Amino acid sequence: EADIYQTPRYLVIGTGKKITLECSQTMGHDKMYWYQQDPGMELHLIHYSYGVNSTEKGDLSSESTVSRIRTEHFPLTLESARPSHTSQYLCASSVRPDNSPLHFGNGTRLTVT
Amino acid sequence: GESVGLHLPTLSVQEGDNSIINCAYSNSASDYFIWYKQESGKGPQFIIDIRSNMDKRQGQRVTVLLNKTVKHLSLQIAATQPGDSAVYFCAESSSSASKIIFGSGTRLSIRP
């Protein structure tokens, strides 16, 4: 049913490794987002994009970076993972205008040892 | 600052009864509100939304009520079923902010 895909679903890596979390959507949505969520807690916006070549930082300070070279693809990269990055990362997309519901992927659960 | 908060972190309901999940928001400029359902191991799933020019909207077994005077939002689930067990988030946004702010979530559990 999901039209927004995140890979991998689970990832366990060692401190200092570089990782990229993938997110793709097939709905042609202009806006895409990355949220960080600890289990059962609220979602914190870390990055978003209005379209190709547009990226913005969200409310939560993050050491990650994003890129938006294609409409359907919005990868998130951590250059050097740390245990404090252990969390769930959720990707979402929406149509314009701004007041539209978000469509979420099922997330990547990241554990940094 | 802006915040969207929930009154109760957990709610236990008898199967078949109606559930009411409440949410308070603080940004008077918010004009769009959404309820999401998040099941274990999944991303949040859109349930229903409402814009500030309305005070009630109904879907299938769900109703959202908006009281702008007291900045309060509620989600009513009729005839609660085991499949309704999840964490429910309210979220709000305003046209000027272009961002959606999520509350901390209410866990709904169903008693058989």
Side-chain angles (χ1 to χ4, degrees), chain B residues 19-44:
Chain B
S19 302
I20 299 176
I21 302 172
N22 295 304
C23 178
Y25 64 96
S26 59
N27 184 6
S28 301
S30 295
D31 55 11
Y32 180 59
F33 304 88
I34 318 107
W35 281 101
Y36 288 93
K37 172 186 180 183
Q38 186 175 26
E39 297 175 281
S40 180
K42 296 184 178 180

PDB file of all heavy atoms in Angstrom, chain B residues 19-44:
ATOM      1  N   SER B  19     -13.972   5.961  21.878  1.00  0.00           N
ATOM      2  CA  SER B  19     -12.724   6.533  22.393  1.00  0.00           C
ATOM      3  C   SER B  19     -12.684   8.011  22.066  1.00  0.00           C
ATOM      4  O   SER B  19     -13.105   8.416  20.980  1.00  0.00           O
ATOM      5  CB  SER B  19     -11.505   5.853  21.754  1.00  0.00           C
ATOM      6  OG  SER B  19     -11.513   4.463  21.981  1.00  0.00           O
ATOM      7  N   ILE B  20     -12.173   8.774  22.992  1.00  0.00           N
ATOM      8  CA  ILE B  20     -11.982  10.203  22.753  1.00  0.00           C
ATOM      9  C   ILE B  20     -10.550  10.559  23.128  1.00  0.00           C
ATOM     10  O   ILE B  20     -10.129  10.384  24.272  1.00  0.00           O
ATOM     11  CB  ILE B  20     -12.963  11.067  23.568  1.00  0.00           C
ATOM     12  CG1 ILE B  20     -14.401  10.730  23.184  1.00  0.00           C
ATOM     13  CG2 ILE B  20     -12.684  12.555  23.308  1.00  0.00           C
ATOM     14  CD1 ILE B  20     -15.441  11.465  24.020  1.00  0.00           C
ATOM     15  N   ILE B  21      -9.820  11.039  22.162  1.00  0.00           N
ATOM     16  CA  ILE B  21      -8.430  11.450  22.374  1.00  0.00           C
ATOM     17  C   ILE B  21      -8.374  12.964  22.203  1.00  0.00           C
ATOM     18  O   ILE B  21      -8.863  13.500  21.207  1.00  0.00           O
ATOM     19  CB  ILE B  21      -7.482  10.749  21.383  1.00  0.00           C
ATOM     20  CG1 ILE B  21      -7.609   9.235  21.536  1.00  0.00           C
ATOM     21  CG2 ILE B  21      -6.040  11.192  21.611  1.00  0.00           C
ATOM     22  CD1 ILE B  21      -6.859   8.440  20.484  1.00  0.00           C
ATOM     23  N   ASN B  22      -7.790  13.624  23.173  1.00  0.00           N
ATOM     24  CA  ASN B  22      -7.783  15.089  23.191  1.00  0.00           C
ATOM     25  C   ASN B  22      -6.407  15.657  22.881  1.00  0.00           C
ATOM     26  O   ASN B  22      -5.376  15.017  23.078  1.00  0.00           O
ATOM     27  CB  ASN B  22      -8.223  15.593  24.569  1.00  0.00           C
ATOM     28  CG  ASN B  22      -9.650  15.230  24.868  1.00  0.00           C
ATOM     29  OD1 ASN B  22     -10.543  15.559  24.112  1.00  0.00           O
ATOM     30  ND2 ASN B  22      -9.867  14.520  25.966  1.00  0.00           N
ATOM     31  N   CYS B  23      -6.423  16.888  22.418  1.00  0.00           N
ATOM     32  CA  CYS B  23      -5.188  17.558  22.042  1.00  0.00           C
ATOM     33  C   CYS B  23      -5.368  19.065  22.236  1.00  0.00           C
ATOM     34  O   CYS B  23      -6.407  19.612  21.875  1.00  0.00           O
ATOM     35  CB  CYS B  23      -4.863  17.234  20.583  1.00  0.00           C
ATOM     36  SG  CYS B  23      -3.390  18.022  19.936  1.00  0.00           S
ATOM     37  N   ALA B  24      -4.370  19.702  22.817  1.00  0.00           N
ATOM     38  CA  ALA B  24      -4.379  21.158  22.957  1.00  0.00           C
ATOM     39  C   ALA B  24      -3.272  21.737  22.092  1.00  0.00           C
ATOM     40  O   ALA B  24      -2.209  21.138  21.945  1.00  0.00           O
ATOM     41  CB  ALA B  24      -4.161  21.550  24.412  1.00  0.00           C
ATOM     42  N   TYR B  25      -3.528  22.877  21.517  1.00  0.00           N
ATOM     43  CA  TYR B  25      -2.499  23.549  20.734  1.00  0.00           C
ATOM     44  C   TYR B  25      -2.386  24.987  21.209  1.00  0.00           C
ATOM     45  O   TYR B  25      -3.307  25.517  21.839  1.00  0.00           O
ATOM     46  CB  TYR B  25      -2.781  23.476  19.236  1.00  0.00           C
ATOM     47  CG  TYR B  25      -4.023  24.189  18.779  1.00  0.00           C
ATOM     48  CD1 TYR B  25      -3.963  25.486  18.287  1.00  0.00           C
ATOM     49  CD2 TYR B  25      -5.259  23.555  18.828  1.00  0.00           C
ATOM     50  CE1 TYR B  25      -5.107  26.147  17.864  1.00  0.00           C
ATOM     51  CE2 TYR B  25      -6.399  24.203  18.405  1.00  0.00           C
ATOM     52  CZ  TYR B  25      -6.321  25.499  17.922  1.00  0.00           C
ATOM     53  OH  TYR B  25      -7.442  26.141  17.506  1.00  0.00           O
ATOM     54  N   SER B  26      -1.248  25.599  20.932  1.00  0.00           N
ATOM     55  CA  SER B  26      -1.027  26.937  21.489  1.00  0.00           C
ATOM     56  C   SER B  26      -0.880  28.020  20.423  1.00  0.00           C
ATOM     57  O   SER B  26      -0.940  29.209  20.758  1.00  0.00           O
ATOM     58  CB  SER B  26       0.222  26.938  22.380  1.00  0.00           C
ATOM     59  OG  SER B  26       1.362  26.547  21.641  1.00  0.00           O
ATOM     60  N   ASN B  27      -0.713  27.643  19.180  1.00  0.00           N
ATOM     61  CA  ASN B  27      -0.516  28.645  18.130  1.00  0.00           C
ATOM     62  C   ASN B  27      -1.856  29.101  17.561  1.00  0.00           C
ATOM     63  O   ASN B  27      -2.532  28.350  16.854  1.00  0.00           O
ATOM     64  CB  ASN B  27       0.367  28.069  17.025  1.00  0.00           C
ATOM     65  CG  ASN B  27       0.687  29.093  15.946  1.00  0.00           C
ATOM     66  OD1 ASN B  27       0.342  30.272  16.060  1.00  0.00           O
ATOM     67  ND2 ASN B  27       1.355  28.658  14.899  1.00  0.00           N
ATOM     68  N   SER B  28      -2.232  30.305  17.854  1.00  0.00           N
ATOM     69  CA  SER B  28      -3.512  30.834  17.385  1.00  0.00           C
ATOM     70  C   SER B  28      -3.581  30.938  15.861  1.00  0.00           C
ATOM     71  O   SER B  28      -4.668  30.971  15.292  1.00  0.00           O
ATOM     72  CB  SER B  28      -3.755  32.217  17.984  1.00  0.00           C
ATOM     73  OG  SER B  28      -3.774  32.170  19.380  1.00  0.00           O
ATOM     74  N   ALA B  29      -2.419  30.985  15.232  1.00  0.00           N
ATOM     75  CA  ALA B  29      -2.378  31.108  13.771  1.00  0.00           C
ATOM     76  C   ALA B  29      -2.560  29.769  13.059  1.00  0.00           C
ATOM     77  O   ALA B  29      -2.688  29.731  11.834  1.00  0.00           O
ATOM     78  CB  ALA B  29      -1.056  31.728  13.342  1.00  0.00           C
ATOM     79  N   SER B  30      -2.578  28.675  13.802  1.00  0.00           N
ATOM     80  CA  SER B  30      -2.754  27.360  13.174  1.00  0.00           C
ATOM     81  C   SER B  30      -4.094  27.294  12.473  1.00  0.00           C
ATOM     82  O   SER B  30      -5.122  27.685  13.033  1.00  0.00           O
ATOM     83  CB  SER B  30      -2.670  26.258  14.225  1.00  0.00           C
ATOM     84  OG  SER B  30      -1.377  26.219  14.777  1.00  0.00           O
ATOM     85  N   ASP B  31      -4.082  26.808  11.244  1.00  0.00           N
ATOM     86  CA  ASP B  31      -5.330  26.750  10.485  1.00  0.00           C
ATOM     87  C   ASP B  31      -5.571  25.392   9.843  1.00  0.00           C
ATOM     88  O   ASP B  31      -6.509  25.222   9.047  1.00  0.00           O
ATOM     89  CB  ASP B  31      -5.353  27.859   9.426  1.00  0.00           C
ATOM     90  CG  ASP B  31      -4.133  27.819   8.504  1.00  0.00           C
ATOM     91  OD1 ASP B  31      -3.389  26.821   8.550  1.00  0.00           O
ATOM     92  OD2 ASP B  31      -3.931  28.793   7.753  1.00  0.00           O
ATOM     93  N   TYR B  32      -4.740  24.432  10.185  1.00  0.00           N
ATOM     94  CA  TYR B  32      -4.900  23.090   9.613  1.00  0.00           C
ATOM     95  C   TYR B  32      -4.463  22.093  10.661  1.00  0.00           C
ATOM     96  O   TYR B  32      -3.379  22.216  11.247  1.00  0.00           O
ATOM     97  CB  TYR B  32      -4.049  22.982   8.344  1.00  0.00           C
ATOM     98  CG  TYR B  32      -4.116  21.642   7.657  1.00  0.00           C
ATOM     99  CD1 TYR B  32      -5.321  21.121   7.203  1.00  0.00           C
ATOM    100  CD2 TYR B  32      -2.963  20.897   7.443  1.00  0.00           C
ATOM    101  CE1 TYR B  32      -5.385  19.901   6.571  1.00  0.00           C
ATOM    102  CE2 TYR B  32      -3.018  19.676   6.805  1.00  0.00           C
ATOM    103  CZ  TYR B  32      -4.230  19.176   6.369  1.00  0.00           C
ATOM    104  OH  TYR B  32      -4.285  17.968   5.739  1.00  0.00           O
ATOM    105  N   PHE B  33      -5.292  21.066  10.879  1.00  0.00           N
ATOM    106  CA  PHE B  33      -5.039  20.098  11.948  1.00  0.00           C
ATOM    107  C   PHE B  33      -5.238  18.691  11.402  1.00  0.00           C
ATOM    108  O   PHE B  33      -6.151  18.438  10.617  1.00  0.00           O
ATOM    109  CB  PHE B  33      -5.997  20.351  13.126  1.00  0.00           C
ATOM    110  CG  PHE B  33      -5.916  21.755  13.655  1.00  0.00           C
ATOM    111  CD1 PHE B  33      -6.707  22.752  13.111  1.00  0.00           C
ATOM    112  CD2 PHE B  33      -5.039  22.073  14.680  1.00  0.00           C
ATOM    113  CE1 PHE B  33      -6.624  24.061  13.574  1.00  0.00           C
ATOM    114  CE2 PHE B  33      -4.950  23.364  15.159  1.00  0.00           C
ATOM    115  CZ  PHE B  33      -5.739  24.361  14.612  1.00  0.00           C
ATOM    116  N   ILE B  34      -4.368  17.806  11.856  1.00  0.00           N
ATOM    117  CA  ILE B  34      -4.393  16.443  11.333  1.00  0.00           C
ATOM    118  C   ILE B  34      -4.263  15.443  12.479  1.00  0.00           C
ATOM    119  O   ILE B  34      -3.542  15.698  13.451  1.00  0.00           O
ATOM    120  CB  ILE B  34      -3.206  16.191  10.354  1.00  0.00           C
ATOM    121  CG1 ILE B  34      -2.980  17.374   9.414  1.00  0.00           C
ATOM    122  CG2 ILE B  34      -3.430  14.909   9.550  1.00  0.00           C
ATOM    123  CD1 ILE B  34      -1.749  18.177   9.750  1.00  0.00           C
ATOM    124  N   TRP B  35      -4.921  14.331  12.347  1.00  0.00           N
ATOM    125  CA  TRP B  35      -4.725  13.205  13.254  1.00  0.00           C
ATOM    126  C   TRP B  35      -4.059  12.065  12.485  1.00  0.00           C
ATOM    127  O   TRP B  35      -4.456  11.735  11.370  1.00  0.00           O
ATOM    128  CB  TRP B  35      -6.055  12.715  13.825  1.00  0.00           C
ATOM    129  CG  TRP B  35      -6.576  13.561  14.949  1.00  0.00           C
ATOM    130  CD1 TRP B  35      -7.545  14.510  14.871  1.00  0.00           C
ATOM    131  CD2 TRP B  35      -6.162  13.525  16.313  1.00  0.00           C
ATOM    132  NE1 TRP B  35      -7.757  15.070  16.106  1.00  0.00           N
ATOM    133  CE2 TRP B  35      -6.920  14.487  17.015  1.00  0.00           C
ATOM    134  CE3 TRP B  35      -5.215  12.763  17.021  1.00  0.00           C
ATOM    135  CZ2 TRP B  35      -6.773  14.706  18.387  1.00  0.00           C
ATOM    136  CZ3 TRP B  35      -5.065  12.988  18.382  1.00  0.00           C
ATOM    137  CH2 TRP B  35      -5.840  13.941  19.050  1.00  0.00           C
ATOM    138  N   TYR B  36      -3.041  11.490  13.162  1.00  0.00           N
ATOM    139  CA  TYR B  36      -2.335  10.348  12.607  1.00  0.00           C
ATOM    140  C   TYR B  36      -2.414   9.176  13.571  1.00  0.00           C
ATOM    141  O   TYR B  36      -2.452   9.355  14.793  1.00  0.00           O
ATOM    142  CB  TYR B  36      -0.852  10.673  12.379  1.00  0.00           C
ATOM    143  CG  TYR B  36      -0.580  11.615  11.241  1.00  0.00           C
ATOM    144  CD1 TYR B  36      -0.490  12.986  11.471  1.00  0.00           C
ATOM    145  CD2 TYR B  36      -0.401  11.149   9.945  1.00  0.00           C
ATOM    146  CE1 TYR B  36      -0.232  13.865  10.428  1.00  0.00           C
ATOM    147  CE2 TYR B  36      -0.139  12.024   8.903  1.00  0.00           C
ATOM    148  CZ  TYR B  36      -0.059  13.375   9.154  1.00  0.00           C
ATOM    149  OH  TYR B  36       0.194  14.246   8.119  1.00  0.00           O
ATOM    150  N   LYS B  37      -2.384   7.984  13.004  1.00  0.00           N
ATOM    151  CA  LYS B  37      -2.350   6.742  13.777  1.00  0.00           C
ATOM    152  C   LYS B  37      -1.030   6.048  13.461  1.00  0.00           C
ATOM    153  O   LYS B  37      -0.686   5.890  12.295  1.00  0.00           O
ATOM    154  CB  LYS B  37      -3.514   5.840  13.368  1.00  0.00           C
ATOM    155  CG  LYS B  37      -3.488   4.444  13.959  1.00  0.00           C
ATOM    156  CD  LYS B  37      -4.626   3.610  13.354  1.00  0.00           C
ATOM    157  CE  LYS B  37      -4.639   2.192  13.919  1.00  0.00           C
ATOM    158  NZ  LYS B  37      -5.693   1.361  13.283  1.00  0.00           N
ATOM    159  N   GLN B  38      -0.304   5.654  14.506  1.00  0.00           N
ATOM    160  CA  GLN B  38       0.958   4.962  14.282  1.00  0.00           C
ATOM    161  C   GLN B  38       0.942   3.618  14.993  1.00  0.00           C
ATOM    162  O   GLN B  38       0.916   3.555  16.225  1.00  0.00           O
ATOM    163  CB  GLN B  38       2.147   5.800  14.751  1.00  0.00           C
ATOM    164  CG  GLN B  38       3.483   5.175  14.396  1.00  0.00           C
ATOM    165  CD  GLN B  38       4.672   6.049  14.752  1.00  0.00           C
ATOM    166  OE1 GLN B  38       4.598   6.885  15.652  1.00  0.00           O
ATOM    167  NE2 GLN B  38       5.781   5.883  14.049  1.00  0.00           N
ATOM    168  N   GLU B  39       0.967   2.572  14.209  1.00  0.00           N
ATOM    169  CA  GLU B  39       1.057   1.223  14.753  1.00  0.00           C
ATOM    170  C   GLU B  39       2.515   0.841  14.925  1.00  0.00           C
ATOM    171  O   GLU B  39       3.400   1.406  14.283  1.00  0.00           O
ATOM    172  CB  GLU B  39       0.341   0.242  13.821  1.00  0.00           C
ATOM    173  CG  GLU B  39      -1.154   0.526  13.705  1.00  0.00           C
ATOM    174  CD  GLU B  39      -1.842  -0.357  12.684  1.00  0.00           C
ATOM    175  OE1 GLU B  39      -1.724  -0.058  11.487  1.00  0.00           O
ATOM    176  OE2 GLU B  39      -2.486  -1.334  13.086  1.00  0.00           O
ATOM    177  N   SER B  40       2.739  -0.125  15.774  1.00  0.00           N
ATOM    178  CA  SER B  40       4.100  -0.540  16.104  1.00  0.00           C
ATOM    179  C   SER B  40       4.867  -0.946  14.848  1.00  0.00           C
ATOM    180  O   SER B  40       4.372  -1.730  14.042  1.00  0.00           O
ATOM    181  CB  SER B  40       4.055  -1.706  17.095  1.00  0.00           C
ATOM    182  OG  SER B  40       5.351  -2.123  17.423  1.00  0.00           O
ATOM    183  N   GLY B  41       6.044  -0.378  14.673  1.00  0.00           N
ATOM    184  CA  GLY B  41       6.890  -0.738  13.546  1.00  0.00           C
ATOM    185  C   GLY B  41       6.520  -0.078  12.232  1.00  0.00           C
ATOM    186  O   GLY B  41       7.099  -0.408  11.189  1.00  0.00           O
ATOM    187  N   LYS B  42       5.579   0.853  12.271  1.00  0.00           N
ATOM    188  CA  LYS B  42       5.143   1.513  11.044  1.00  0.00           C
ATOM    189  C   LYS B  42       5.257   3.020  11.178  1.00  0.00           C
ATOM    190  O   LYS B  42       5.385   3.561  12.275  1.00  0.00           O
ATOM    191  CB  LYS B  42       3.705   1.130  10.709  1.00  0.00           C
ATOM    192  CG  LYS B  42       3.510  -0.338  10.396  1.00  0.00           C
ATOM    193  CD  LYS B  42       2.075  -0.603   9.981  1.00  0.00           C
ATOM    194  CE  LYS B  42       1.871  -2.068   9.625  1.00  0.00           C
ATOM    195  NZ  LYS B  42       0.463  -2.334   9.208  1.00  0.00           N
ATOM    196  N   GLY B  43       5.180   3.687  10.041  1.00  0.00           N
ATOM    197  CA  GLY B  43       5.130   5.138  10.055  1.00  0.00           C
ATOM    198  C   GLY B  43       3.728   5.617  10.360  1.00  0.00           C
ATOM    199  O   GLY B  43       2.759   4.858  10.267  1.00  0.00           O
ATOM    200  N   PRO B  44       3.579   6.879  10.761  1.00  0.00           N
ATOM    201  CA  PRO B  44       2.243   7.420  11.020  1.00  0.00           C
ATOM    202  C   PRO B  44       1.363   7.354   9.772  1.00  0.00           C
ATOM    203  O   PRO B  44       1.838   7.577   8.656  1.00  0.00           O
ATOM    204  CB  PRO B  44       2.523   8.874  11.419  1.00  0.00           C
ATOM    205  CG  PRO B  44       3.930   8.867  11.908  1.00  0.00           C
ATOM    206  CD  PRO B  44       4.630   7.847  11.066  1.00  0.00           C
TER     207      PRO B  44
END
